[in-house]
Amino acid sequence: RTQAHIVVLGGGAAGMAMVNRLAKRLQGGTITLVEPRETHHYQPGWTLVASGVWNADKTMRPNAQFLPRGVNWVREHAASIDADNKRITLAGGETLEYDFLIVATGIQLNYHLIEGMKPELVGQHGIGSVYAGIEEASRTNQAIQTWLQNGHGRGIFTAAPTPVKCAGAPLKMTFTTLSRLEASGRRDAFDVDYMAPGASLFSQPWVDEFVKQRFDDQGVNRRHHYRLSAIDPHAKQAEFAFVGPESEFTSHHQLRQAEFRRDDQPTVIADYDFIHVVPPMSAHDFVKQSALIAQDGPFRGEWLDVDIHTLQHNRYPEVFGIGDVIGAPINKTAASVKAQAPVVEENLLALMQGNALPARHMGYTSCPMITGIGKAMLVEFGYADNFAFMPSFPFIDPTEESWAVWVMKDRMLQPAYYAVLEGQA
Ligand code: FAD
């Protein structure tokens, strides 16, 4: 039995999975979950909403439905972490002491690093962005619909110069929109551009080549080494900064926020009728301001400093990280959370008993890469051998598009995701 107090910061996919797992396993002790939201959002459904396939309400459930008995739920934002004194300060000023801490606060969307861009603009002036939230995903669908109804014009799809959650989502939005353009019977009347800050479009090399080839075949104009630096919604113009041919942003290299200066980078201006904006992303500011943030290496100043295999903090052994917040070369999917949750559970329980950490995360991540409405590929990979495939179903070829994988994305992955939240999978 233990007397320990465990605090879990953030009750999204990762935090909710952890409180459920620990509530089942812990003998004694107390668990506090700090999560300000009443509603749980199934974010993997947002691409389907923004593509006009799902209704928004299919993606929301009350958090209370997932919360296990006996967990103390603090409905507030954490405002700061004092790792040296093992103390959290909440937005209301109260403090929480912990013996063990799990950081699962996910990602901060840094739209403010694109001059002129605000998430409130999504749905107006031809602007879409699947990442901003469920309302914005619906408005992205409407913006695409309006562009389609206009019957012609240029659509620009962008990618971020930082790691992002679900690195496939900017590509999926391009592919589903291409399906809609083709279905309109007037594909030739539309121009489609994809602006990528790095040389590659996806971290897994085979998928990267596949997507590039498919974009070329489908008449998508690819331009590399450009990041979206500013937007003028009224003029429907976007400014792109040339970030240099050595730039490589798709996995763990990234432009740090301090480097978002525009004056030393040549820029181009492009007119658009529709633009899909993918914001730069990082850990939340209050995590960045804490001692828990990476101090050097590729994640410096932007992401949580954990051992990418044990998920234990590199300098504060009583702290673990899980989910989108961690600095790791790949991950940032709910599929990664499913693989990480048992690792954090085993390692934390071992640490509490004074034992060596037994479990290792091998970087497993997966993306049902939607390549058009009605077809997808199940791409699963991990850290080893330059992100080699890690297929979990012998009958699914990761390099084959199929309707079966689309059906999996459309119908089966959501119940599987809720099982992860409930600590069952
Ligand atoms: P989240 O689920 O985002 O949870 C973070 C939680 O922290 C939130 O509940 C938030 O309220 C809370 N929080 C934030 N700040 C604070 C604070 N200050 N104090 C306390 N709590 C705080 N994954 C897949 O596996 N497959 C997919 O196909 C897929 N598609 C996606 C498509 C889109 C458009 C998006 C946006 C994501 C997609 N994902 C997909 C990724 C997946 O949703 C995330 O990887 C997953 O939700 C990560 O879980 P998390 O708990 O780390 O973050």
Short mmCIF file of all heavy atoms in Angstrom, two decimals, residues 179-238:
data_model
loop_
_atom_site.label_atom_id
_atom_site.label_comp_id
_atom_site.label_asym_id
_atom_site.label_seq_id
_atom_site.Cartn_x
_atom_site.Cartn_y
_atom_site.Cartn_z
N SER A 179 -10.87 14.87 -53.29
CA SER A 179 -12.03 14.02 -53.62
C SER A 179 -13.26 14.86 -53.91
O SER A 179 -14.02 14.58 -54.85
CB SER A 179 -12.38 13.09 -52.45
OG SER A 179 -11.45 12.07 -52.32
N ARG A 180 -13.45 15.90 -53.09
CA ARG A 180 -14.64 16.74 -53.28
C ARG A 180 -14.54 17.54 -54.58
O ARG A 180 -15.54 17.74 -55.28
CB ARG A 180 -14.82 17.66 -52.06
CG ARG A 180 -15.09 16.86 -50.79
CD ARG A 180 -14.93 17.69 -49.53
NE ARG A 180 -16.10 18.52 -49.26
CZ ARG A 180 -16.23 19.29 -48.18
NH1 ARG A 180 -15.25 19.35 -47.28
NH2 ARG A 180 -17.32 19.99 -47.99
N LEU A 181 -13.33 18.01 -54.89
CA LEU A 181 -13.14 18.75 -56.14
C LEU A 181 -13.40 17.84 -57.34
O LEU A 181 -14.06 18.24 -58.31
CB LEU A 181 -11.72 19.31 -56.22
CG LEU A 181 -11.33 20.38 -55.19
CD1 LEU A 181 -9.85 20.75 -55.33
CD2 LEU A 181 -12.19 21.63 -55.34
N GLU A 182 -12.88 16.60 -57.24
CA GLU A 182 -13.08 15.66 -58.35
C GLU A 182 -14.56 15.33 -58.50
O GLU A 182 -15.08 15.26 -59.61
CB GLU A 182 -12.24 14.39 -58.11
CG GLU A 182 -10.76 14.63 -58.44
CD GLU A 182 -9.81 13.65 -57.75
OE1 GLU A 182 -10.28 12.63 -57.20
OE2 GLU A 182 -8.59 13.90 -57.78
N ALA A 183 -15.25 15.15 -57.37
CA ALA A 183 -16.67 14.80 -57.42
C ALA A 183 -17.51 15.93 -58.01
O ALA A 183 -18.61 15.69 -58.52
CB ALA A 183 -17.16 14.44 -56.02
N SER A 184 -17.00 17.16 -57.94
CA SER A 184 -17.77 18.29 -58.49
C SER A 184 -17.79 18.24 -60.02
O SER A 184 -18.56 18.96 -60.65
CB SER A 184 -17.17 19.62 -58.02
OG SER A 184 -15.98 19.90 -58.75
N GLY A 185 -16.89 17.42 -60.59
CA GLY A 185 -16.84 17.31 -62.06
C GLY A 185 -16.08 18.47 -62.70
O GLY A 185 -16.00 18.56 -63.91
N ARG A 186 -15.52 19.35 -61.89
CA ARG A 186 -14.82 20.52 -62.45
C ARG A 186 -13.40 20.63 -61.87
O ARG A 186 -12.93 21.72 -61.60
CB ARG A 186 -15.59 21.80 -62.11
CG ARG A 186 -16.94 21.92 -62.77
CD ARG A 186 -17.66 23.17 -62.27
NE ARG A 186 -16.81 24.36 -62.35
CZ ARG A 186 -16.82 25.22 -63.35
NH1 ARG A 186 -17.63 25.04 -64.36
NH2 ARG A 186 -16.03 26.28 -63.35
N ARG A 187 -12.75 19.50 -61.64
CA ARG A 187 -11.42 19.53 -61.01
C ARG A 187 -10.48 20.51 -61.70
O ARG A 187 -9.71 21.21 -61.03
CB ARG A 187 -10.83 18.09 -61.03
CG ARG A 187 -9.36 17.96 -60.60
CD ARG A 187 -9.15 18.29 -59.13
NE ARG A 187 -7.73 18.30 -58.78
CZ ARG A 187 -6.92 19.37 -58.87
NH1 ARG A 187 -7.38 20.54 -59.32
NH2 ARG A 187 -5.66 19.30 -58.51
N ASP A 188 -10.56 20.58 -63.05
CA ASP A 188 -9.62 21.43 -63.79
C ASP A 188 -9.80 22.92 -63.51
O ASP A 188 -8.91 23.72 -63.80
CB ASP A 188 -9.75 21.19 -65.31
CG ASP A 188 -9.25 19.79 -65.67
OD1 ASP A 188 -8.58 19.19 -64.81
OD2 ASP A 188 -9.55 19.33 -66.79
N ALA A 189 -10.95 23.29 -62.98
CA ALA A 189 -11.19 24.71 -62.72
C ALA A 189 -10.53 25.17 -61.41
O ALA A 189 -10.56 26.35 -61.08
CB ALA A 189 -12.70 24.97 -62.66
N PHE A 190 -9.98 24.23 -60.67
CA PHE A 190 -9.40 24.57 -59.37
C PHE A 190 -7.89 24.33 -59.38
O PHE A 190 -7.41 23.32 -59.92
CB PHE A 190 -10.00 23.68 -58.26
CG PHE A 190 -11.47 23.90 -58.05
CD1 PHE A 190 -12.41 23.11 -58.71
CD2 PHE A 190 -11.92 24.89 -57.18
CE1 PHE A 190 -13.77 23.29 -58.52
CE2 PHE A 190 -13.29 25.08 -56.98
CZ PHE A 190 -14.21 24.28 -57.65
N ASP A 191 -7.15 25.23 -58.73
CA ASP A 191 -5.72 25.01 -58.49
C ASP A 191 -5.54 24.59 -57.04
O ASP A 191 -6.18 25.17 -56.14
CB ASP A 191 -4.93 26.30 -58.70
CG ASP A 191 -4.86 26.66 -60.16
OD1 ASP A 191 -4.62 25.75 -60.97
OD2 ASP A 191 -5.08 27.85 -60.48
N VAL A 192 -4.66 23.61 -56.82
CA VAL A 192 -4.39 23.17 -55.45
C VAL A 192 -2.88 23.22 -55.22
O VAL A 192 -2.11 22.61 -55.96
CB VAL A 192 -4.92 21.74 -55.19
CG1 VAL A 192 -4.59 21.30 -53.77
CG2 VAL A 192 -6.44 21.69 -55.43
N ASP A 193 -2.47 23.97 -54.19
CA ASP A 193 -1.05 24.07 -53.83
C ASP A 193 -0.84 23.45 -52.45
O ASP A 193 -1.71 23.56 -51.58
CB ASP A 193 -0.61 25.54 -53.72
CG ASP A 193 -0.63 26.25 -55.06
OD1 ASP A 193 -0.80 25.57 -56.09
OD2 ASP A 193 -0.48 27.48 -55.07
N TYR A 194 0.33 22.83 -52.26
CA TYR A 194 0.71 22.37 -50.93
C TYR A 194 2.05 23.02 -50.59
O TYR A 194 3.03 22.85 -51.32
CB TYR A 194 0.82 20.84 -50.88
CG TYR A 194 0.86 20.31 -49.46
CD1 TYR A 194 -0.32 19.99 -48.79
CD2 TYR A 194 2.06 20.18 -48.77
CE1 TYR A 194 -0.30 19.55 -47.47
CE2 TYR A 194 2.09 19.74 -47.46
CZ TYR A 194 0.90 19.43 -46.82
OH TYR A 194 0.94 19.00 -45.51
N MET A 195 2.08 23.75 -49.51
CA MET A 195 3.29 24.49 -49.11
C MET A 195 3.89 23.81 -47.88
O MET A 195 3.26 23.79 -46.81
CB MET A 195 2.94 25.93 -48.77
CG MET A 195 2.26 26.69 -49.89
SD MET A 195 3.33 27.03 -51.30
CE MET A 195 4.13 28.53 -50.79
N ALA A 196 5.09 23.25 -48.03
CA ALA A 196 5.70 22.49 -46.93
C ALA A 196 6.98 23.18 -46.47
O ALA A 196 7.78 23.60 -47.31
CB ALA A 196 6.03 21.07 -47.39
N PRO A 197 7.19 23.30 -45.17
CA PRO A 197 8.41 23.96 -44.70
C PRO A 197 9.67 23.13 -44.88
O PRO A 197 10.77 23.67 -44.92
CB PRO A 197 8.14 24.23 -43.22
CG PRO A 197 6.94 23.47 -42.86
CD PRO A 197 6.26 22.98 -44.09
N GLY A 198 9.55 21.82 -44.97
CA GLY A 198 10.74 20.96 -45.12
C GLY A 198 10.75 20.27 -46.47
O GLY A 198 9.87 20.49 -47.32
N ALA A 199 11.75 19.40 -46.65
CA ALA A 199 11.85 18.67 -47.92
C ALA A 199 10.86 17.52 -47.96
O ALA A 199 10.45 17.07 -49.03
CB ALA A 199 13.27 18.13 -48.07
N SER A 200 10.46 17.01 -46.81
CA SER A 200 9.53 15.89 -46.81
C SER A 200 8.15 16.32 -46.32
O SER A 200 7.99 17.39 -45.74
CB SER A 200 10.09 14.74 -45.97
OG SER A 200 10.35 15.18 -44.67
N LEU A 201 7.18 15.46 -46.58
CA LEU A 201 5.80 15.76 -46.19
C LEU A 201 5.36 14.93 -45.00
O LEU A 201 4.34 15.24 -44.37
CB LEU A 201 4.84 15.49 -47.37
CG LEU A 201 5.12 16.26 -48.66
CD1 LEU A 201 4.09 15.90 -49.72
CD2 LEU A 201 5.11 17.77 -48.40
N PHE A 202 6.09 13.85 -44.69
CA PHE A 202 5.70 12.94 -43.61
C PHE A 202 6.97 12.24 -43.13
O PHE A 202 7.87 11.97 -43.93
CB PHE A 202 4.69 11.91 -44.16
CG PHE A 202 3.93 11.17 -43.09
CD1 PHE A 202 2.89 11.78 -42.41
CD2 PHE A 202 4.28 9.86 -42.77
CE1 PHE A 202 2.21 11.09 -41.42
CE2 PHE A 202 3.59 9.17 -41.78
CZ PHE A 202 2.54 9.80 -41.10
N SER A 203 7.04 11.93 -41.83
CA SER A 203 8.30 11.40 -41.28
C SER A 203 8.60 9.98 -41.75
O SER A 203 9.76 9.61 -41.89
CB SER A 203 8.26 11.46 -39.75
OG SER A 203 7.09 10.87 -39.28
N GLN A 204 7.59 9.17 -42.03
CA GLN A 204 7.83 7.78 -42.43
C GLN A 204 8.24 7.81 -43.92
O GLN A 204 7.46 8.28 -44.76
CB GLN A 204 6.55 6.97 -42.21
CG GLN A 204 6.77 5.49 -41.95
CD GLN A 204 7.27 4.76 -43.18
OE1 GLN A 204 6.95 5.11 -44.31
NE2 GLN A 204 8.09 3.74 -42.95
N PRO A 205 9.45 7.35 -44.25
CA PRO A 205 9.97 7.57 -45.60
C PRO A 205 9.11 6.99 -46.73
O PRO A 205 8.92 7.64 -47.75
CB PRO A 205 11.35 6.89 -45.57
CG PRO A 205 11.69 6.72 -44.13
CD PRO A 205 10.41 6.68 -43.36
N TRP A 206 8.58 5.79 -46.55
CA TRP A 206 7.78 5.21 -47.64
C TRP A 206 6.53 6.06 -47.87
O TRP A 206 6.16 6.36 -49.02
CB TRP A 206 7.39 3.75 -47.30
CG TRP A 206 6.76 3.07 -48.49
CD1 TRP A 206 7.39 2.33 -49.44
CD2 TRP A 206 5.37 3.13 -48.87
NE1 TRP A 206 6.49 1.92 -50.39
CE2 TRP A 206 5.24 2.39 -50.07
CE3 TRP A 206 4.24 3.74 -48.34
CZ2 TRP A 206 4.02 2.24 -50.73
CZ3 TRP A 206 3.02 3.60 -49.00
CH2 TRP A 206 2.92 2.85 -50.18
N VAL A 207 5.89 6.44 -46.78
CA VAL A 207 4.65 7.24 -46.90
C VAL A 207 4.97 8.60 -47.51
O VAL A 207 4.21 9.11 -48.34
CB VAL A 207 3.98 7.40 -45.50
CG1 VAL A 207 2.74 8.29 -45.59
CG2 VAL A 207 3.61 6.04 -44.93
N ASP A 208 6.11 9.16 -47.13
CA ASP A 208 6.52 10.45 -47.69
C ASP A 208 6.58 10.37 -49.22
O ASP A 208 5.99 11.20 -49.93
CB ASP A 208 7.89 10.83 -47.09
CG ASP A 208 8.38 12.15 -47.61
OD1 ASP A 208 7.58 13.10 -47.66
OD2 ASP A 208 9.57 12.24 -47.97
N GLU A 209 7.26 9.34 -49.72
CA GLU A 209 7.38 9.17 -51.17
C GLU A 209 6.02 8.94 -51.82
O GLU A 209 5.70 9.48 -52.87
CB GLU A 209 8.29 7.97 -51.50
CG GLU A 209 9.76 8.30 -51.39
CD GLU A 209 10.14 9.54 -52.19
OE1 GLU A 209 9.75 9.63 -53.37
OE2 GLU A 209 10.80 10.44 -51.63
N PHE A 210 5.21 8.13 -51.16
CA PHE A 210 3.88 7.80 -51.69
C PHE A 210 3.05 9.08 -51.84
O PHE A 210 2.42 9.33 -52.89
CB PHE A 210 3.17 6.80 -50.77
CG PHE A 210 1.76 6.52 -51.19
CD1 PHE A 210 1.48 5.49 -52.09
CD2 PHE A 210 0.70 7.29 -50.72
CE1 PHE A 210 0.17 5.24 -52.49
CE2 PHE A 210 -0.61 7.05 -51.12
CZ PHE A 210 -0.87 6.02 -52.01
N VAL A 211 3.03 9.89 -50.77
CA VAL A 211 2.18 11.09 -50.80
C VAL A 211 2.68 12.06 -51.86
O VAL A 211 1.88 12.64 -52.62
CB VAL A 211 2.12 11.75 -49.40
CG1 VAL A 211 1.43 13.12 -49.47
CG2 VAL A 211 1.40 10.85 -48.40
N LYS A 212 4.01 12.21 -51.96
CA LYS A 212 4.54 13.13 -52.98
C LYS A 212 4.10 12.69 -54.38
O LYS A 212 3.65 13.49 -55.20
CB LYS A 212 6.07 13.14 -52.92
CG LYS A 212 6.60 13.97 -51.76
CD LYS A 212 8.11 13.85 -51.70
CE LYS A 212 8.68 14.71 -50.60
NZ LYS A 212 10.04 14.31 -50.25
N GLN A 213 4.24 11.38 -54.65
CA GLN A 213 3.86 10.85 -55.96
C GLN A 213 2.37 11.07 -56.22
O GLN A 213 1.95 11.50 -57.30
CB GLN A 213 4.20 9.35 -56.01
CG GLN A 213 3.98 8.72 -57.36
CD GLN A 213 4.88 9.35 -58.43
OE1 GLN A 213 6.09 9.45 -58.25
NE2 GLN A 213 4.27 9.82 -59.52
N ARG A 214 1.57 10.79 -55.19
CA ARG A 214 0.11 10.93 -55.35
C ARG A 214 -0.27 12.40 -55.58
O ARG A 214 -1.12 12.71 -56.42
CB ARG A 214 -0.58 10.36 -54.10
CG ARG A 214 -2.08 10.32 -54.16
CD ARG A 214 -2.63 9.61 -55.40
NE ARG A 214 -2.34 8.21 -55.47
CZ ARG A 214 -3.05 7.25 -54.89
NH1 ARG A 214 -4.12 7.56 -54.20
NH2 ARG A 214 -2.71 5.99 -55.01
N PHE A 215 0.36 13.30 -54.83
CA PHE A 215 0.09 14.73 -55.07
C PHE A 215 0.44 15.10 -56.51
O PHE A 215 -0.33 15.80 -57.19
CB PHE A 215 0.91 15.60 -54.10
CG PHE A 215 0.26 15.82 -52.74
CD1 PHE A 215 -0.95 15.24 -52.41
CD2 PHE A 215 0.88 16.63 -51.79
CE1 PHE A 215 -1.54 15.45 -51.16
CE2 PHE A 215 0.30 16.85 -50.53
CZ PHE A 215 -0.90 16.26 -50.22
N ASP A 216 1.60 14.62 -56.98
CA ASP A 216 1.99 14.94 -58.36
C ASP A 216 0.96 14.38 -59.34
O ASP A 216 0.53 15.07 -60.27
CB ASP A 216 3.38 14.36 -58.67
CG ASP A 216 4.49 15.04 -57.84
OD1 ASP A 216 4.19 16.06 -57.18
OD2 ASP A 216 5.62 14.54 -57.84
N ASP A 217 0.53 13.14 -59.11
CA ASP A 217 -0.45 12.52 -60.00
C ASP A 217 -1.79 13.26 -59.98
O ASP A 217 -2.52 13.27 -60.96
CB ASP A 217 -0.72 11.06 -59.59
CG ASP A 217 0.51 10.17 -59.77
OD1 ASP A 217 1.47 10.63 -60.43
OD2 ASP A 217 0.52 9.05 -59.23
N GLN A 218 -2.12 13.83 -58.82
CA GLN A 218 -3.43 14.49 -58.71
C GLN A 218 -3.36 16.00 -58.98
O GLN A 218 -4.31 16.73 -58.67
CB GLN A 218 -4.03 14.23 -57.31
CG GLN A 218 -4.53 12.79 -57.17
CD GLN A 218 -5.32 12.59 -55.88
OE1 GLN A 218 -4.75 12.32 -54.83
NE2 GLN A 218 -6.62 12.74 -55.97
N GLY A 219 -2.24 16.42 -59.54
CA GLY A 219 -2.14 17.83 -59.95
C GLY A 219 -2.03 18.81 -58.80
O GLY A 219 -2.46 19.96 -58.91
N VAL A 220 -1.43 18.37 -57.69
CA VAL A 220 -1.18 19.30 -56.57
C VAL A 220 0.20 19.91 -56.79
O VAL A 220 1.17 19.18 -57.02
CB VAL A 220 -1.21 18.55 -55.21
CG1 VAL A 220 -0.83 19.48 -54.06
CG2 VAL A 220 -2.57 17.91 -54.99
N ASN A 221 0.26 21.24 -56.76
CA ASN A 221 1.57 21.90 -56.92
C ASN A 221 2.26 21.93 -55.58
O ASN A 221 1.82 22.61 -54.67
CB ASN A 221 1.40 23.36 -57.40
CG ASN A 221 0.46 23.43 -58.58
OD1 ASN A 221 0.66 22.76 -59.58
ND2 ASN A 221 -0.61 24.22 -58.43
N ARG A 222 3.35 21.16 -55.44
CA ARG A 222 4.08 21.11 -54.18
C ARG A 222 5.17 22.17 -54.20
O ARG A 222 5.93 22.24 -55.15
CB ARG A 222 4.82 19.78 -54.03
CG ARG A 222 4.02 18.60 -53.83
CD ARG A 222 4.96 17.49 -53.37
NE ARG A 222 5.47 16.70 -54.48
CZ ARG A 222 6.74 16.38 -54.63
NH1 ARG A 222 7.65 16.80 -53.78
NH2 ARG A 222 7.13 15.63 -55.65
N ARG A 223 5.26 22.92 -53.10
CA ARG A 223 6.42 23.81 -52.96
C ARG A 223 7.00 23.54 -51.59
O ARG A 223 6.29 23.49 -50.60
CB ARG A 223 5.99 25.26 -53.12
CG ARG A 223 5.51 25.53 -54.53
CD ARG A 223 5.20 26.98 -54.74
NE ARG A 223 6.42 27.76 -54.93
CZ ARG A 223 6.40 29.07 -55.19
NH1 ARG A 223 5.26 29.71 -55.27
NH2 ARG A 223 7.52 29.74 -55.35
N HIS A 224 8.32 23.37 -51.56
CA HIS A 224 9.00 23.02 -50.31
C HIS A 224 9.79 24.20 -49.76
O HIS A 224 10.15 25.11 -50.50
CB HIS A 224 9.93 21.83 -50.54
CG HIS A 224 9.16 20.56 -50.83
ND1 HIS A 224 8.72 19.73 -49.84
CD2 HIS A 224 8.73 20.03 -52.00
CE1 HIS A 224 8.06 18.72 -50.40
NE2 HIS A 224 8.05 18.87 -51.70
N HIS A 225 10.03 24.14 -48.45
CA HIS A 225 10.86 25.11 -47.72
C HIS A 225 10.15 26.46 -47.51
O HIS A 225 10.80 27.48 -47.34
CB HIS A 225 12.22 25.32 -48.40
CG HIS A 225 12.91 24.02 -48.69
ND1 HIS A 225 13.29 23.15 -47.69
CD2 HIS A 225 13.26 23.43 -49.86
CE1 HIS A 225 13.85 22.09 -48.24
NE2 HIS A 225 13.84 22.22 -49.55
N TYR A 226 8.83 26.44 -47.55
CA TYR A 226 8.07 27.66 -47.26
C TYR A 226 7.18 27.44 -46.05
O TYR A 226 6.54 26.41 -45.92
CB TYR A 226 7.18 28.04 -48.44
CG TYR A 226 7.95 28.66 -49.58
CD1 TYR A 226 8.41 27.89 -50.63
CD2 TYR A 226 8.22 30.03 -49.57
CE1 TYR A 226 9.13 28.46 -51.67
CE2 TYR A 226 8.94 30.61 -50.61
CZ TYR A 226 9.39 29.83 -51.65
OH TYR A 226 10.10 30.40 -52.67
N ARG A 227 7.16 28.43 -45.16
CA ARG A 227 6.21 28.39 -44.05
C ARG A 227 5.27 29.59 -44.15
O ARG A 227 5.68 30.66 -44.63
CB ARG A 227 6.93 28.40 -42.70
CG ARG A 227 7.55 29.72 -42.36
CD ARG A 227 8.12 29.77 -40.96
NE ARG A 227 8.93 30.97 -40.79
CZ ARG A 227 8.47 32.13 -40.32
NH1 ARG A 227 7.21 32.25 -39.95
NH2 ARG A 227 9.26 33.18 -40.22
N LEU A 228 4.05 29.41 -43.71
CA LEU A 228 3.07 30.49 -43.72
C LEU A 228 3.48 31.50 -42.65
O LEU A 228 3.55 31.16 -41.47
CB LEU A 228 1.68 29.90 -43.40
CG LEU A 228 0.52 30.88 -43.33
CD1 LEU A 228 0.31 31.60 -44.66
CD2 LEU A 228 -0.76 30.15 -42.93
N SER A 229 3.78 32.73 -43.06
CA SER A 229 4.25 33.72 -42.09
C SER A 229 3.21 34.79 -41.79
O SER A 229 3.22 35.37 -40.70
CB SER A 229 5.55 34.36 -42.57
OG SER A 229 5.43 34.78 -43.91
N ALA A 230 2.31 35.07 -42.72
CA ALA A 230 1.29 36.10 -42.47
C ALA A 230 0.09 35.85 -43.37
O ALA A 230 0.20 35.19 -44.41
CB ALA A 230 1.85 37.50 -42.75
N ILE A 231 -1.04 36.39 -42.94
CA ILE A 231 -2.26 36.22 -43.73
C ILE A 231 -3.03 37.53 -43.71
O ILE A 231 -3.06 38.21 -42.68
CB ILE A 231 -3.06 35.01 -43.18
CG1 ILE A 231 -4.10 34.53 -44.15
CG2 ILE A 231 -3.64 35.26 -41.82
CD1 ILE A 231 -4.54 33.11 -43.85
N ASP A 232 -3.56 37.91 -44.87
CA ASP A 232 -4.40 39.10 -44.94
C ASP A 232 -5.79 38.63 -45.35
O ASP A 232 -6.07 38.43 -46.53
CB ASP A 232 -3.82 40.09 -45.97
CG ASP A 232 -4.65 41.36 -46.08
OD1 ASP A 232 -5.82 41.34 -45.62
OD2 ASP A 232 -4.14 42.35 -46.62
N PRO A 233 -6.68 38.42 -44.38
CA PRO A 233 -7.96 37.77 -44.68
C PRO A 233 -8.81 38.57 -45.65
O PRO A 233 -9.48 37.98 -46.50
CB PRO A 233 -8.65 37.70 -43.31
CG PRO A 233 -7.61 37.96 -42.29
CD PRO A 233 -6.52 38.73 -42.96
N HIS A 234 -8.78 39.88 -45.55
CA HIS A 234 -9.67 40.68 -46.42
C HIS A 234 -9.19 40.66 -47.85
O HIS A 234 -9.99 40.56 -48.78
CB HIS A 234 -9.81 42.10 -45.86
CG HIS A 234 -10.54 42.10 -44.56
ND1 HIS A 234 -11.91 41.97 -44.49
CD2 HIS A 234 -10.09 42.11 -43.28
CE1 HIS A 234 -12.28 41.93 -43.21
NE2 HIS A 234 -11.18 42.02 -42.47
N ALA A 235 -7.87 40.72 -48.04
CA ALA A 235 -7.32 40.65 -49.40
C ALA A 235 -7.24 39.20 -49.89
O ALA A 235 -6.95 38.96 -51.07
CB ALA A 235 -5.93 41.28 -49.41
N LYS A 236 -7.48 38.22 -48.99
CA LYS A 236 -7.29 36.79 -49.31
C LYS A 236 -5.90 36.55 -49.88
O LYS A 236 -5.73 35.98 -50.97
CB LYS A 236 -8.38 36.28 -50.26
CG LYS A 236 -9.73 36.15 -49.59
CD LYS A 236 -10.65 35.33 -50.46
CE LYS A 236 -11.92 34.94 -49.73
NZ LYS A 236 -12.83 34.18 -50.56
N GLN A 237 -4.93 37.02 -49.14
CA GLN A 237 -3.54 36.81 -49.53
C GLN A 237 -2.77 36.20 -48.37
O GLN A 237 -3.01 36.54 -47.20
CB GLN A 237 -2.87 38.15 -49.88
CG GLN A 237 -3.28 38.65 -51.24
CD GLN A 237 -2.53 39.90 -51.63
OE1 GLN A 237 -2.13 40.70 -50.79
NE2 GLN A 237 -2.33 40.07 -52.93
N ALA A 238 -1.84 35.31 -48.73
CA ALA A 238 -0.99 34.69 -47.71
C ALA A 238 0.45 35.00 -48.03
O ALA A 238 0.83 35.04 -49.20
CB ALA A 238 -1.21 33.18 -47.71
#
